[in-house]
Amino acid sequence: DQQVKQNSPSLSVQEGRISILNCDYTNSMFDYFLWYKKYPAEGPTFLISISSIKDKNEDGRFTVFLNKSAKHLSLHIVPSQPGDSAVYFCAASGPTNAGKSTFGDGTTLTVKP
Amino acid sequence: NAGVMQNPRHLVRRRGQEARLRCSPMKGHSHVYWYRQLPEEGLKFMVYLQKENIIDESGMPKERFSAEFPKEGPSILRIQQVVRGDSAAYFCASSPEFFSPGNTIYFGEGSWLTVV
């Protein structure tokens, strides 16, 4: 049973437009949510996170929204740039150990110039 | 200011051999996490270590896998008697303190194990 799901394996967006990556989770004990970005043959890079006490967190072009009742979160990238093309992983953890996260399978974002 | 260093980047082992993967955390980091990524899947937590201590190994397979983070030197993930299903990318991450809301974690570039 996959507890963190990214239902879209891929997403293609035009440069300058908004990219919206979605993530659903099933475990109501999850309290902390993270997004990572990964280029091929490299390690993931921690992007942005959100605690369950918030419904939005913003960092530059990246905004994460959390809907606890729907067990859904999304990552918005505005404006999208070609360098944003990568695999994005959603992850979730309990309140104490963010390193022990459960990851989704990733969404490959392609930003076209 | 070196990042998290993993070696080897690529390792080929025959079935039944041992694989040793090394991870040197960022300078000043004493918390290390290991993850495994199978093809087309997300990362899966394996183990969390601090210097000389295994804090949480709940994601480690019960047999053949072990990890250590000695007082001196890198953290090592050891896989004994490898099987084809062990073929994966193994990522190490480090943090200066316990990774919790409000701080961050840094990943190495990974070690790709291929079992033939």
Side-chain angles (χ1 to χ4, degrees):
Chain A
D1 177 34
Q2 198 165 9
Q3 298 187 64
V4 177
K5 286 187 180 178
Q6 295 177 254
N7 290 317
S8 298
S10 62
L11 174 68
S12 183
V13 168
Q14 206 66 35
E15 181 179 6
R17 307 295 282 267
I18 184 171
S19 296
I20 300 176
L21 298 106
N22 293 303
C23 179
D24 297 295
Y25 62 97
T26 57
N27 189 339
S28 57
M29 298 301 291
F30 287 146
D31 196 67
Y32 186 56
F33 305 90
L34 310 94
W35 284 94
Y36 293 88
K37 174 181 176 180
K38 186 180 180 303
Y39 293 117
E42 293 187 12
T45 300
F46 172 64
L47 259 183
I48 191 169
S49 63
I50 188 167
S51 171
S52 61
I53 60 173
K54 294 185 174 183
D55 55 17
K56 177 182 173 182
N57 189 25
E58 202 169 344
D59 184 1
R61 297 186 297 116
F62 301 91
T63 303
V64 57
F65 295 92
L66 175 63
N67 183 333
K68 276 199 76 176
S69 59
K71 294 191 176 68
H72 177 85
L73 63 153
S74 60
L75 175 68
H76 293 212
I77 306 173
V78 181
S80 301
Q81 300 173 354
D84 296 329
S85 298
V87 179
Y88 289 79
F89 291 101
C90 166
S93 73
T96 54
N97 187 355
K100 190 180 174 181
S101 292
T102 300
F103 284 75
D105 287 346
T107 296
T108 300
L109 173 65
T110 302
V111 180
K112 297 180 179 178
Chain B
N1 185 16
V4 179
M5 305 299 291
Q6 289 189 247
N7 67 82
R9 291 296 310 277
H10 298 276
L11 182 63
V12 179
R13 284 287 177 267
R14 295 186 184 279
R15 281 178 294 170
Q17 290 184 320
E18 178 178 286
R20 283 197 186 199
L21 309 177
R22 288 176 290 278
C23 170
S24 296
M26 286 181 72
K27 188 176 181 180
H29 288 195
S30 59
H31 299 252
V32 165
Y33 300 82
W34 284 94
Y35 302 84
R36 176 164 69 173
Q37 184 185 22
L38 296 171
E40 307 302 323
E41 294 188 12
L43 281 74
K44 287 187 169 41
F45 166 80
M46 298 182 76
V47 61
Y48 163 44
L49 311 105
Q50 291 182 38
K51 284 282 188 183
E52 300 183 274
N53 287 304
I54 297 173
I55 307 301
D56 186 334
E57 57 181 346
S58 58
M60 289 272 273
K62 295 285 184 250
E63 297 176 352
R64 301 188 298 108
F65 285 72
S66 62
E68 62 178 8
F69 188 14
K71 187 177 180 181
E72 301 291 338
S75 175
I76 295 175
L77 180 67
R78 181 184 301 143
I79 312 171
Q80 296 177 299
Q81 299 174 359
V82 296
V83 301
R84 288 224 171 104
D86 297 332
S87 295
Y90 292 83
F91 292 97
C92 167
S94 74
S95 60
E97 54 192 352
F98 182 64
F99 183 36
S100 59
N103 55 34
T104 193
I105 192 171
Y106 300 88
F107 279 82
E109 295 193 324
S111 290
W112 269 259
L113 172 65
T114 302
V115 179
V116 297

